[in-house]
PDB file of all heavy atoms in Angstrom:
ATOM      1  N   LEU A   1       0.834  -1.199   0.000  1.00  0.00           N
ATOM      2  CA  LEU A   1       0.000   0.000   0.000  1.00  0.00           C
ATOM      3  C   LEU A   1       0.870   1.251   0.000  1.00  0.00           C
ATOM      4  O   LEU A   1       0.557   2.236  -0.680  1.00  0.00           O
ATOM      5  CB  LEU A   1      -0.936   0.003   1.209  1.00  0.00           C
ATOM      6  CG  LEU A   1      -1.812   1.258   1.369  1.00  0.00           C
ATOM      7  CD1 LEU A   1      -2.695   1.469   0.131  1.00  0.00           C
ATOM      8  CD2 LEU A   1      -2.670   1.154   2.629  1.00  0.00           C
ATOM      9  N   ALA A   2       1.960   1.223   0.755  1.00  0.00           N
ATOM     10  CA  ALA A   2       2.866   2.375   0.794  1.00  0.00           C
ATOM     11  C   ALA A   2       3.379   2.686  -0.604  1.00  0.00           C
ATOM     12  O   ALA A   2       3.346   3.838  -1.052  1.00  0.00           O
ATOM     13  CB  ALA A   2       4.035   2.102   1.744  1.00  0.00           C
ATOM     14  N   TYR A   3       3.832   1.664  -1.321  1.00  0.00           N
ATOM     15  CA  TYR A   3       4.400   1.874  -2.650  1.00  0.00           C
ATOM     16  C   TYR A   3       3.331   2.317  -3.659  1.00  0.00           C
ATOM     17  O   TYR A   3       3.565   3.218  -4.468  1.00  0.00           O
ATOM     18  CB  TYR A   3       5.078   0.594  -3.123  1.00  0.00           C
ATOM     19  CG  TYR A   3       5.945   0.780  -4.351  1.00  0.00           C
ATOM     20  CD1 TYR A   3       7.242   1.266  -4.228  1.00  0.00           C
ATOM     21  CD2 TYR A   3       5.457   0.490  -5.622  1.00  0.00           C
ATOM     22  CE1 TYR A   3       8.051   1.449  -5.353  1.00  0.00           C
ATOM     23  CE2 TYR A   3       6.254   0.675  -6.750  1.00  0.00           C
ATOM     24  CZ  TYR A   3       7.543   1.152  -6.606  1.00  0.00           C
ATOM     25  OH  TYR A   3       8.323   1.343  -7.718  1.00  0.00           O
ATOM     26  N   GLU A   4       2.170   1.690  -3.597  1.00  0.00           N
ATOM     27  CA  GLU A   4       1.073   2.083  -4.492  1.00  0.00           C
ATOM     28  C   GLU A   4       0.690   3.542  -4.261  1.00  0.00           C
ATOM     29  O   GLU A   4       0.382   4.278  -5.212  1.00  0.00           O
ATOM     30  CB  GLU A   4      -0.142   1.191  -4.258  1.00  0.00           C
ATOM     31  CG  GLU A   4       0.038  -0.255  -4.707  1.00  0.00           C
ATOM     32  CD  GLU A   4      -1.068  -1.155  -4.185  1.00  0.00           C
ATOM     33  OE1 GLU A   4      -2.057  -0.621  -3.613  1.00  0.00           O
ATOM     34  OE2 GLU A   4      -0.950  -2.384  -4.319  1.00  0.00           O
ATOM     35  N   THR A   5       0.700   3.956  -3.007  1.00  0.00           N
ATOM     36  CA  THR A   5       0.351   5.336  -2.676  1.00  0.00           C
ATOM     37  C   THR A   5       1.406   6.304  -3.207  1.00  0.00           C
ATOM     38  O   THR A   5       1.076   7.374  -3.748  1.00  0.00           O
ATOM     39  CB  THR A   5       0.198   5.498  -1.151  1.00  0.00           C
ATOM     40  OG1 THR A   5      -0.792   4.578  -0.676  1.00  0.00           O
ATOM     41  CG2 THR A   5      -0.226   6.912  -0.789  1.00  0.00           C
ATOM     42  N   VAL A   6       2.674   5.943  -3.079  1.00  0.00           N
ATOM     43  CA  VAL A   6       3.742   6.781  -3.633  1.00  0.00           C
ATOM     44  C   VAL A   6       3.549   6.948  -5.139  1.00  0.00           C
ATOM     45  O   VAL A   6       3.653   8.058  -5.681  1.00  0.00           O
ATOM     46  CB  VAL A   6       5.130   6.180  -3.334  1.00  0.00           C
ATOM     47  CG1 VAL A   6       6.224   6.983  -4.051  1.00  0.00           C
ATOM     48  CG2 VAL A   6       5.403   6.164  -1.842  1.00  0.00           C
ATOM     49  N   ALA A   7       3.253   5.837  -5.811  1.00  0.00           N
ATOM     50  CA  ALA A   7       3.073   5.887  -7.268  1.00  0.00           C
ATOM     51  C   ALA A   7       1.926   6.811  -7.651  1.00  0.00           C
ATOM     52  O   ALA A   7       1.991   7.517  -8.667  1.00  0.00           O
ATOM     53  CB  ALA A   7       2.818   4.479  -7.801  1.00  0.00           C
ATOM     54  N   PHE A   8       0.870   6.827  -6.852  1.00  0.00           N
ATOM     55  CA  PHE A   8      -0.259   7.714  -7.132  1.00  0.00           C
ATOM     56  C   PHE A   8       0.099   9.167  -6.836  1.00  0.00           C
ATOM     57  O   PHE A   8      -0.134  10.063  -7.666  1.00  0.00           O
ATOM     58  CB  PHE A   8      -1.479   7.300  -6.304  1.00  0.00           C
ATOM     59  CG  PHE A   8      -2.649   8.213  -6.470  1.00  0.00           C
ATOM     60  CD1 PHE A   8      -3.527   8.055  -7.534  1.00  0.00           C
ATOM     61  CD2 PHE A   8      -2.889   9.250  -5.568  1.00  0.00           C
ATOM     62  CE1 PHE A   8      -4.612   8.907  -7.710  1.00  0.00           C
ATOM     63  CE2 PHE A   8      -3.971  10.107  -5.727  1.00  0.00           C
ATOM     64  CZ  PHE A   8      -4.836   9.932  -6.807  1.00  0.00           C
ATOM     65  N   VAL A   9       0.664   9.414  -5.674  1.00  0.00           N
ATOM     66  CA  VAL A   9       0.904  10.786  -5.217  1.00  0.00           C
ATOM     67  C   VAL A   9       1.990  11.474  -6.030  1.00  0.00           C
ATOM     68  O   VAL A   9       1.880  12.658  -6.371  1.00  0.00           O
ATOM     69  CB  VAL A   9       1.262  10.787  -3.706  1.00  0.00           C
ATOM     70  CG1 VAL A   9       1.709  12.173  -3.245  1.00  0.00           C
ATOM     71  CG2 VAL A   9       0.061  10.311  -2.884  1.00  0.00           C
ATOM     72  N   GLU A  10       3.062  10.753  -6.367  1.00  0.00           N
ATOM     73  CA  GLU A  10       4.215  11.415  -6.980  1.00  0.00           C
ATOM     74  C   GLU A  10       3.973  11.853  -8.421  1.00  0.00           C
ATOM     75  O   GLU A  10       4.781  12.581  -8.987  1.00  0.00           O
ATOM     76  CB  GLU A  10       5.445  10.503  -6.909  1.00  0.00           C
ATOM     77  CG  GLU A  10       5.417   9.296  -7.821  1.00  0.00           C
ATOM     78  CD  GLU A  10       6.201   9.501  -9.112  1.00  0.00           C
ATOM     79  OE1 GLU A  10       7.209  10.216  -9.115  1.00  0.00           O
ATOM     80  OE2 GLU A  10       5.777   8.919 -10.132  1.00  0.00           O
ATOM     81  N   GLN A  11       2.864  11.422  -9.002  1.00  0.00           N
ATOM     82  CA  GLN A  11       2.581  11.876 -10.371  1.00  0.00           C
ATOM     83  C   GLN A  11       2.168  13.350 -10.414  1.00  0.00           C
ATOM     84  O   GLN A  11       2.145  13.963 -11.479  1.00  0.00           O
ATOM     85  CB  GLN A  11       1.476  11.015 -10.987  1.00  0.00           C
ATOM     86  CG  GLN A  11       0.116  11.149 -10.326  1.00  0.00           C
ATOM     87  CD  GLN A  11      -0.929  10.214 -10.910  1.00  0.00           C
ATOM     88  OE1 GLN A  11      -1.101  10.159 -12.111  1.00  0.00           O
ATOM     89  NE2 GLN A  11      -1.600   9.483 -10.040  1.00  0.00           N
ATOM     90  N   TYR A  12       1.862  13.924  -9.243  1.00  0.00           N
ATOM     91  CA  TYR A  12       1.382  15.302  -9.170  1.00  0.00           C
ATOM     92  C   TYR A  12       2.451  16.246  -8.609  1.00  0.00           C
ATOM     93  O   TYR A  12       3.230  15.879  -7.732  1.00  0.00           O
ATOM     94  CB  TYR A  12       0.155  15.391  -8.251  1.00  0.00           C
ATOM     95  CG  TYR A  12      -1.038  14.608  -8.713  1.00  0.00           C
ATOM     96  CD1 TYR A  12      -1.402  13.427  -8.085  1.00  0.00           C
ATOM     97  CD2 TYR A  12      -1.827  15.056  -9.781  1.00  0.00           C
ATOM     98  CE1 TYR A  12      -2.517  12.705  -8.483  1.00  0.00           C
ATOM     99  CE2 TYR A  12      -2.936  14.345 -10.197  1.00  0.00           C
ATOM    100  CZ  TYR A  12      -3.279  13.165  -9.539  1.00  0.00           C
ATOM    101  OH  TYR A  12      -4.378  12.454  -9.951  1.00  0.00           O
ATOM    102  N   TRP A  13       2.420  17.495  -9.105  1.00  0.00           N
ATOM    103  CA  TRP A  13       3.194  18.588  -8.503  1.00  0.00           C
ATOM    104  C   TRP A  13       2.290  19.182  -7.419  1.00  0.00           C
ATOM    105  O   TRP A  13       1.261  19.761  -7.715  1.00  0.00           O
ATOM    106  CB  TRP A  13       3.507  19.645  -9.559  1.00  0.00           C
ATOM    107  CG  TRP A  13       4.825  20.343  -9.376  1.00  0.00           C
ATOM    108  CD1 TRP A  13       5.949  20.163 -10.115  1.00  0.00           C
ATOM    109  CD2 TRP A  13       5.138  21.344  -8.406  1.00  0.00           C
ATOM    110  NE1 TRP A  13       6.955  20.991  -9.663  1.00  0.00           N
ATOM    111  CE2 TRP A  13       6.484  21.730  -8.613  1.00  0.00           C
ATOM    112  CE3 TRP A  13       4.423  21.957  -7.367  1.00  0.00           C
ATOM    113  CZ2 TRP A  13       7.132  22.689  -7.833  1.00  0.00           C
ATOM    114  CZ3 TRP A  13       5.065  22.904  -6.585  1.00  0.00           C
ATOM    115  CH2 TRP A  13       6.395  23.264  -6.822  1.00  0.00           C
ATOM    116  N   ARG A  14       2.694  19.074  -6.129  1.00  0.00           N
ATOM    117  CA  ARG A  14       1.762  19.291  -5.037  1.00  0.00           C
ATOM    118  C   ARG A  14       2.135  20.504  -4.170  1.00  0.00           C
ATOM    119  O   ARG A  14       3.232  20.583  -3.632  1.00  0.00           O
ATOM    120  CB  ARG A  14       1.725  18.044  -4.130  1.00  0.00           C
ATOM    121  CG  ARG A  14       1.523  16.750  -4.900  1.00  0.00           C
ATOM    122  CD  ARG A  14       1.641  15.527  -4.000  1.00  0.00           C
ATOM    123  NE  ARG A  14       2.900  15.421  -3.308  1.00  0.00           N
ATOM    124  CZ  ARG A  14       4.011  14.884  -3.821  1.00  0.00           C
ATOM    125  NH1 ARG A  14       4.034  14.424  -5.067  1.00  0.00           N
ATOM    126  NH2 ARG A  14       5.114  14.788  -3.097  1.00  0.00           N
ATOM    127  N   ILE A  15       1.204  21.437  -4.056  1.00  0.00           N
ATOM    128  CA  ILE A  15       1.229  22.409  -2.970  1.00  0.00           C
ATOM    129  C   ILE A  15      -0.201  22.508  -2.446  1.00  0.00           C
ATOM    130  O   ILE A  15      -1.156  22.114  -3.123  1.00  0.00           O
ATOM    131  CB  ILE A  15       1.749  23.798  -3.394  1.00  0.00           C
ATOM    132  CG1 ILE A  15       0.822  24.453  -4.409  1.00  0.00           C
ATOM    133  CG2 ILE A  15       3.161  23.721  -3.908  1.00  0.00           C
ATOM    134  CD1 ILE A  15       1.171  25.914  -4.653  1.00  0.00           C
ATOM    135  N   ALA A  16      -0.343  23.031  -1.245  1.00  0.00           N
ATOM    136  CA  ALA A  16      -1.659  23.058  -0.586  1.00  0.00           C
ATOM    137  C   ALA A  16      -2.700  23.699  -1.485  1.00  0.00           C
ATOM    138  O   ALA A  16      -2.497  24.769  -2.045  1.00  0.00           O
ATOM    139  CB  ALA A  16      -1.568  23.811   0.737  1.00  0.00           C
ATOM    140  N   GLY A  17      -3.818  23.004  -1.626  1.00  0.00           N
ATOM    141  CA  GLY A  17      -4.950  23.528  -2.370  1.00  0.00           C
ATOM    142  C   GLY A  17      -4.997  23.156  -3.829  1.00  0.00           C
ATOM    143  O   GLY A  17      -6.043  23.319  -4.471  1.00  0.00           O
ATOM    144  N   ASN A  18      -3.889  22.654  -4.399  1.00  0.00           N
ATOM    145  CA  ASN A  18      -3.946  22.383  -5.837  1.00  0.00           C
ATOM    146  C   ASN A  18      -4.457  20.967  -6.118  1.00  0.00           C
ATOM    147  O   ASN A  18      -4.705  20.168  -5.202  1.00  0.00           O
ATOM    148  CB  ASN A  18      -2.614  22.698  -6.526  1.00  0.00           C
ATOM    149  CG  ASN A  18      -1.536  21.652  -6.328  1.00  0.00           C
ATOM    150  OD1 ASN A  18      -1.727  20.632  -5.693  1.00  0.00           O
ATOM    151  ND2 ASN A  18      -0.370  21.924  -6.887  1.00  0.00           N
ATOM    152  N   THR A  19      -4.608  20.650  -7.385  1.00  0.00           N
ATOM    153  CA  THR A  19      -5.223  19.393  -7.788  1.00  0.00           C
ATOM    154  C   THR A  19      -4.493  18.189  -7.220  1.00  0.00           C
ATOM    155  O   THR A  19      -5.115  17.256  -6.675  1.00  0.00           O
ATOM    156  CB  THR A  19      -5.259  19.294  -9.326  1.00  0.00           C
ATOM    157  OG1 THR A  19      -5.983  20.402  -9.850  1.00  0.00           O
ATOM    158  CG2 THR A  19      -5.917  18.002  -9.771  1.00  0.00           C
ATOM    159  N   GLY A  20      -3.170  18.183  -7.341  1.00  0.00           N
ATOM    160  CA  GLY A  20      -2.396  17.043  -6.871  1.00  0.00           C
ATOM    161  C   GLY A  20      -2.479  16.855  -5.373  1.00  0.00           C
ATOM    162  O   GLY A  20      -2.638  15.729  -4.874  1.00  0.00           O
ATOM    163  N   PHE A  21      -2.368  17.952  -4.635  1.00  0.00           N
ATOM    164  CA  PHE A  21      -2.455  17.886  -3.169  1.00  0.00           C
ATOM    165  C   PHE A  21      -3.816  17.343  -2.749  1.00  0.00           C
ATOM    166  O   PHE A  21      -3.911  16.426  -1.920  1.00  0.00           O
ATOM    167  CB  PHE A  21      -2.240  19.287  -2.599  1.00  0.00           C
ATOM    168  CG  PHE A  21      -2.088  19.343  -1.095  1.00  0.00           C
ATOM    169  CD1 PHE A  21      -0.842  19.477  -0.519  1.00  0.00           C
ATOM    170  CD2 PHE A  21      -3.201  19.296  -0.261  1.00  0.00           C
ATOM    171  CE1 PHE A  21      -0.699  19.553   0.862  1.00  0.00           C
ATOM    172  CE2 PHE A  21      -3.075  19.367   1.114  1.00  0.00           C
ATOM    173  CZ  PHE A  21      -1.815  19.494   1.677  1.00  0.00           C
ATOM    174  N   ASN A  22      -4.875  17.888  -3.338  1.00  0.00           N
ATOM    175  CA  ASN A  22      -6.222  17.478  -2.947  1.00  0.00           C
ATOM    176  C   ASN A  22      -6.520  16.039  -3.362  1.00  0.00           C
ATOM    177  O   ASN A  22      -7.181  15.293  -2.625  1.00  0.00           O
ATOM    178  CB  ASN A  22      -7.257  18.427  -3.544  1.00  0.00           C
ATOM    179  CG  ASN A  22      -7.200  19.798  -2.899  1.00  0.00           C
ATOM    180  OD1 ASN A  22      -6.514  19.999  -1.898  1.00  0.00           O
ATOM    181  ND2 ASN A  22      -7.902  20.755  -3.467  1.00  0.00           N
ATOM    182  N   ASN A  23      -6.028  15.625  -4.525  1.00  0.00           N
ATOM    183  CA  ASN A  23      -6.233  14.235  -4.929  1.00  0.00           C
ATOM    184  C   ASN A  23      -5.527  13.269  -3.990  1.00  0.00           C
ATOM    185  O   ASN A  23      -6.022  12.165  -3.722  1.00  0.00           O
ATOM    186  CB  ASN A  23      -5.757  14.023  -6.363  1.00  0.00           C
ATOM    187  CG  ASN A  23      -6.735  14.560  -7.392  1.00  0.00           C
ATOM    188  OD1 ASN A  23      -7.865  14.923  -7.062  1.00  0.00           O
ATOM    189  ND2 ASN A  23      -6.309  14.624  -8.642  1.00  0.00           N
ATOM    190  N   ALA A  24      -4.365  13.674  -3.482  1.00  0.00           N
ATOM    191  CA  ALA A  24      -3.679  12.857  -2.480  1.00  0.00           C
ATOM    192  C   ALA A  24      -4.513  12.735  -1.211  1.00  0.00           C
ATOM    193  O   ALA A  24      -4.627  11.653  -0.619  1.00  0.00           O
ATOM    194  CB  ALA A  24      -2.307  13.447  -2.166  1.00  0.00           C
ATOM    195  N   VAL A  25      -5.110  13.847  -0.788  1.00  0.00           N
ATOM    196  CA  VAL A  25      -5.984  13.823   0.395  1.00  0.00           C
ATOM    197  C   VAL A  25      -7.154  12.858   0.191  1.00  0.00           C
ATOM    198  O   VAL A  25      -7.471  12.045   1.064  1.00  0.00           O
ATOM    199  CB  VAL A  25      -6.500  15.245   0.703  1.00  0.00           C
ATOM    200  CG1 VAL A  25      -7.676  15.203   1.687  1.00  0.00           C
ATOM    201  CG2 VAL A  25      -5.378  16.110   1.267  1.00  0.00           C
ATOM    202  N   TYR A  26      -7.785  12.945  -0.963  1.00  0.00           N
ATOM    203  CA  TYR A  26      -8.947  12.084  -1.217  1.00  0.00           C
ATOM    204  C   TYR A  26      -8.535  10.611  -1.307  1.00  0.00           C
ATOM    205  O   TYR A  26      -9.292   9.722  -0.885  1.00  0.00           O
ATOM    206  CB  TYR A  26      -9.660  12.521  -2.490  1.00  0.00           C
ATOM    207  CG  TYR A  26     -10.132  13.960  -2.462  1.00  0.00           C
ATOM    208  CD1 TYR A  26     -10.043  14.779  -3.581  1.00  0.00           C
ATOM    209  CD2 TYR A  26     -10.647  14.520  -1.287  1.00  0.00           C
ATOM    210  CE1 TYR A  26     -10.462  16.105  -3.553  1.00  0.00           C
ATOM    211  CE2 TYR A  26     -11.059  15.834  -1.247  1.00  0.00           C
ATOM    212  CZ  TYR A  26     -10.970  16.630  -2.377  1.00  0.00           C
ATOM    213  OH  TYR A  26     -11.373  17.944  -2.337  1.00  0.00           O
ATOM    214  N   ARG A  27      -7.350  10.327  -1.847  1.00  0.00           N
ATOM    215  CA  ARG A  27      -6.878   8.950  -1.890  1.00  0.00           C
ATOM    216  C   ARG A  27      -6.625   8.417  -0.481  1.00  0.00           C
ATOM    217  O   ARG A  27      -6.958   7.280  -0.169  1.00  0.00           O
ATOM    218  CB  ARG A  27      -5.600   8.869  -2.734  1.00  0.00           C
ATOM    219  CG  ARG A  27      -4.911   7.490  -2.736  1.00  0.00           C
ATOM    220  CD  ARG A  27      -5.816   6.369  -3.238  1.00  0.00           C
ATOM    221  NE  ARG A  27      -6.102   6.480  -4.642  1.00  0.00           N
ATOM    222  CZ  ARG A  27      -5.462   5.812  -5.597  1.00  0.00           C
ATOM    223  NH1 ARG A  27      -4.485   4.984  -5.292  1.00  0.00           N
ATOM    224  NH2 ARG A  27      -5.830   5.960  -6.862  1.00  0.00           N
ATOM    225  N   ILE A  28      -6.032   9.247   0.380  1.00  0.00           N
ATOM    226  CA  ILE A  28      -5.816   8.844   1.776  1.00  0.00           C
ATOM    227  C   ILE A  28      -7.146   8.525   2.441  1.00  0.00           C
ATOM    228  O   ILE A  28      -7.301   7.486   3.105  1.00  0.00           O
ATOM    229  CB  ILE A  28      -5.075   9.957   2.544  1.00  0.00           C
ATOM    230  CG1 ILE A  28      -3.646  10.112   2.020  1.00  0.00           C
ATOM    231  CG2 ILE A  28      -5.062   9.676   4.048  1.00  0.00           C
ATOM    232  CD1 ILE A  28      -2.965  11.398   2.438  1.00  0.00           C
ATOM    233  N   ALA A  29      -8.121   9.405   2.276  1.00  0.00           N
ATOM    234  CA  ALA A  29      -9.438   9.197   2.891  1.00  0.00           C
ATOM    235  C   ALA A  29     -10.089   7.924   2.371  1.00  0.00           C
ATOM    236  O   ALA A  29     -10.698   7.155   3.146  1.00  0.00           O
ATOM    237  CB  ALA A  29     -10.330  10.408   2.613  1.00  0.00           C
ATOM    238  N   GLU A  30      -9.962   7.672   1.085  1.00  0.00           N
ATOM    239  CA  GLU A  30     -10.542   6.457   0.487  1.00  0.00           C
ATOM    240  C   GLU A  30      -9.939   5.203   1.112  1.00  0.00           C
ATOM    241  O   GLU A  30     -10.664   4.252   1.453  1.00  0.00           O
ATOM    242  CB  GLU A  30     -10.274   6.479  -1.018  1.00  0.00           C
ATOM    243  CG  GLU A  30     -10.685   5.220  -1.758  1.00  0.00           C
ATOM    244  CD  GLU A  30     -10.165   5.206  -3.182  1.00  0.00           C
ATOM    245  OE1 GLU A  30     -10.006   6.291  -3.778  1.00  0.00           O
ATOM    246  OE2 GLU A  30      -9.895   4.099  -3.703  1.00  0.00           O
ATOM    247  N   LYS A  31      -8.629   5.185   1.274  1.00  0.00           N
ATOM    248  CA  LYS A  31      -7.963   4.017   1.843  1.00  0.00           C
ATOM    249  C   LYS A  31      -8.251   3.871   3.338  1.00  0.00           C
ATOM    250  O   LYS A  31      -8.345   2.753   3.860  1.00  0.00           O
ATOM    251  CB  LYS A  31      -6.459   4.101   1.594  1.00  0.00           C
ATOM    252  CG  LYS A  31      -6.073   4.068   0.120  1.00  0.00           C
ATOM    253  CD  LYS A  31      -6.517   2.766  -0.538  1.00  0.00           C
ATOM    254  CE  LYS A  31      -6.099   2.710  -1.999  1.00  0.00           C
ATOM    255  NZ  LYS A  31      -6.545   1.459  -2.674  1.00  0.00           N
ATOM    256  N   LEU A  32      -8.372   4.992   4.030  1.00  0.00           N
ATOM    257  CA  LEU A  32      -8.737   4.920   5.447  1.00  0.00           C
ATOM    258  C   LEU A  32     -10.132   4.316   5.622  1.00  0.00           C
ATOM    259  O   LEU A  32     -10.353   3.458   6.492  1.00  0.00           O
ATOM    260  CB  LEU A  32      -8.680   6.316   6.080  1.00  0.00           C
ATOM    261  CG  LEU A  32      -7.288   6.920   6.308  1.00  0.00           C
ATOM    262  CD1 LEU A  32      -7.412   8.362   6.796  1.00  0.00           C
ATOM    263  CD2 LEU A  32      -6.481   6.093   7.310  1.00  0.00           C
ATOM    264  N   GLU A  33     -11.066   4.759   4.808  1.00  0.00           N
ATOM    265  CA  GLU A  33     -12.425   4.207   4.898  1.00  0.00           C
ATOM    266  C   GLU A  33     -12.428   2.718   4.587  1.00  0.00           C
ATOM    267  O   GLU A  33     -13.130   1.935   5.244  1.00  0.00           O
ATOM    268  CB  GLU A  33     -13.354   4.962   3.963  1.00  0.00           C
ATOM    269  CG  GLU A  33     -13.682   6.363   4.439  1.00  0.00           C
ATOM    270  CD  GLU A  33     -14.997   6.890   3.878  1.00  0.00           C
ATOM    271  OE1 GLU A  33     -15.659   6.160   3.118  1.00  0.00           O
ATOM    272  OE2 GLU A  33     -15.357   8.026   4.235  1.00  0.00           O
ATOM    273  N   ALA A  34     -11.646   2.301   3.593  1.00  0.00           N
ATOM    274  CA  ALA A  34     -11.568   0.882   3.247  1.00  0.00           C
ATOM    275  C   ALA A  34     -10.997   0.063   4.398  1.00  0.00           C
ATOM    276  O   ALA A  34     -11.316  -1.128   4.544  1.00  0.00           O
ATOM    277  CB  ALA A  34     -10.717   0.694   1.999  1.00  0.00           C
ATOM    278  N   ALA A  35     -10.168   0.714   5.243  1.00  0.00           N
ATOM    279  CA  ALA A  35      -9.572   0.028   6.393  1.00  0.00           C
ATOM    280  C   ALA A  35     -10.455   0.081   7.633  1.00  0.00           C
ATOM    281  O   ALA A  35     -10.081  -0.462   8.679  1.00  0.00           O
ATOM    282  CB  ALA A  35      -8.212   0.646   6.703  1.00  0.00           C
ATOM    283  N   GLY A  36     -11.622   0.744   7.531  1.00  0.00           N
ATOM    284  CA  GLY A  36     -12.550   0.768   8.653  1.00  0.00           C
ATOM    285  C   GLY A  36     -12.620   2.068   9.423  1.00  0.00           C
ATOM    286  O   GLY A  36     -13.335   2.155  10.431  1.00  0.00           O
ATOM    287  N   TYR A  37     -11.910   3.102   8.959  1.00  0.00           N
ATOM    288  CA  TYR A  37     -12.002   4.396   9.624  1.00  0.00           C
ATOM    289  C   TYR A  37     -13.329   5.068   9.233  1.00  0.00           C
ATOM    290  O   TYR A  37     -13.735   5.032   8.071  1.00  0.00           O
ATOM    291  CB  TYR A  37     -10.836   5.301   9.232  1.00  0.00           C
ATOM    292  CG  TYR A  37      -9.517   4.903   9.875  1.00  0.00           C
ATOM    293  CD1 TYR A  37      -8.781   3.824   9.374  1.00  0.00           C
ATOM    294  CD2 TYR A  37      -9.018   5.594  10.969  1.00  0.00           C
ATOM    295  CE1 TYR A  37      -7.574   3.448   9.952  1.00  0.00           C
ATOM    296  CE2 TYR A  37      -7.814   5.225  11.559  1.00  0.00           C
ATOM    297  CZ  TYR A  37      -7.097   4.148  11.050  1.00  0.00           C
ATOM    298  OH  TYR A  37      -5.913   3.780  11.627  1.00  0.00           O
ATOM    299  N   VAL A  38     -13.968   5.680  10.214  1.00  0.00           N
ATOM    300  CA  VAL A  38     -15.281   6.288  10.011  1.00  0.00           C
ATOM    301  C   VAL A  38     -15.135   7.806  10.007  1.00  0.00           C
ATOM    302  O   VAL A  38     -14.443   8.376  10.867  1.00  0.00           O
ATOM    303  CB  VAL A  38     -16.257   5.856  11.130  1.00  0.00           C
ATOM    304  CG1 VAL A  38     -17.621   6.512  10.937  1.00  0.00           C
ATOM    305  CG2 VAL A  38     -16.381   4.343  11.179  1.00  0.00           C
ATOM    306  N   LEU A  39     -15.781   8.449   9.039  1.00  0.00           N
ATOM    307  CA  LEU A  39     -15.764   9.909   8.987  1.00  0.00           C
ATOM    308  C   LEU A  39     -16.308  10.467  10.295  1.00  0.00           C
ATOM    309  O   LEU A  39     -17.352  10.028  10.780  1.00  0.00           O
ATOM    310  CB  LEU A  39     -16.594  10.400   7.805  1.00  0.00           C
ATOM    311  CG  LEU A  39     -16.512  11.889   7.477  1.00  0.00           C
ATOM    312  CD1 LEU A  39     -15.098  12.284   7.059  1.00  0.00           C
ATOM    313  CD2 LEU A  39     -17.508  12.231   6.372  1.00  0.00           C
ATOM    314  N   GLU A  40     -15.614  11.424  10.866  1.00  0.00           N
ATOM    315  CA  GLU A  40     -15.928  11.907  12.216  1.00  0.00           C
ATOM    316  C   GLU A  40     -17.397  12.304  12.364  1.00  0.00           C
ATOM    317  O   GLU A  40     -18.024  12.006  13.393  1.00  0.00           O
ATOM    318  CB  GLU A  40     -15.032  13.103  12.542  1.00  0.00           C
ATOM    319  CG  GLU A  40     -15.111  13.558  13.985  1.00  0.00           C
ATOM    320  CD  GLU A  40     -14.060  14.611  14.286  1.00  0.00           C
ATOM    321  OE1 GLU A  40     -14.257  15.778  13.901  1.00  0.00           O
ATOM    322  OE2 GLU A  40     -13.040  14.263  14.903  1.00  0.00           O
ATOM    323  N   GLY A  41     -17.970  12.925  11.367  1.00  0.00           N
ATOM    324  CA  GLY A  41     -19.367  13.347  11.459  1.00  0.00           C
ATOM    325  C   GLY A  41     -20.345  12.189  11.533  1.00  0.00           C
ATOM    326  O   GLY A  41     -21.477  12.360  12.002  1.00  0.00           O
ATOM    327  N   ASN A  42     -19.914  11.011  11.100  1.00  0.00           N
ATOM    328  CA  ASN A  42     -20.786   9.832  11.132  1.00  0.00           C
ATOM    329  C   ASN A  42     -20.440   8.873  12.258  1.00  0.00           C
ATOM    330  O   ASN A  42     -21.099   7.840  12.421  1.00  0.00           O
ATOM    331  CB  ASN A  42     -20.677   9.068   9.798  1.00  0.00           C
ATOM    332  CG  ASN A  42     -21.080   9.921   8.615  1.00  0.00           C
ATOM    333  OD1 ASN A  42     -21.930  10.792   8.734  1.00  0.00           O
ATOM    334  ND2 ASN A  42     -20.460   9.681   7.469  1.00  0.00           N
ATOM    335  N   ALA A  43     -19.414   9.194  13.028  1.00  0.00           N
ATOM    336  CA  ALA A  43     -18.914   8.262  14.040  1.00  0.00           C
ATOM    337  C   ALA A  43     -19.776   8.278  15.297  1.00  0.00           C
ATOM    338  O   ALA A  43     -20.385   9.296  15.655  1.00  0.00           O
ATOM    339  CB  ALA A  43     -17.473   8.604  14.394  1.00  0.00           C
ATOM    340  N   THR A  44     -19.794   7.126  15.971  1.00  0.00           N
ATOM    341  CA  THR A  44     -20.455   6.993  17.270  1.00  0.00           C
ATOM    342  C   THR A  44     -19.387   6.828  18.349  1.00  0.00           C
ATOM    343  O   THR A  44     -18.200   6.662  18.044  1.00  0.00           O
ATOM    344  CB  THR A  44     -21.389   5.777  17.284  1.00  0.00           C
ATOM    345  OG1 THR A  44     -20.599   4.582  17.163  1.00  0.00           O
ATOM    346  CG2 THR A  44     -22.387   5.839  16.129  1.00  0.00           C
TER     347      THR A  44
END
């Protein structure tokens, strides 16, 4: 997973707020949810 994530993230030129940075954030969130992490607003 670490290597797959590097391959995804490094394709982008990243600074806060730009497409690459935000796509990295969304990929992290996607993988966290797949691992069982619950979005704070929906958590009990």
Side-chain angles (χ1 to χ4, degrees):
L1 177 59
Y3 192 82
E4 291 168 9
T5 303
V6 174
F8 176 84
V9 172
E10 71 99 32
Q11 66 184 310
Y12 297 106
W13 213 106
R14 310 174 302 276
I15 65 170
N18 77 1
T19 302
F21 189 102
N22 290 351
N23 283 349
V25 165
Y26 302 140
R27 174 58 69 98
I28 293 164
E30 174 190 330
K31 296 299 182 181
L32 288 174
E33 288 204 0
Y37 286 78
V38 179
L39 189 64
E40 189 172 77
N42 300 329
T44 66

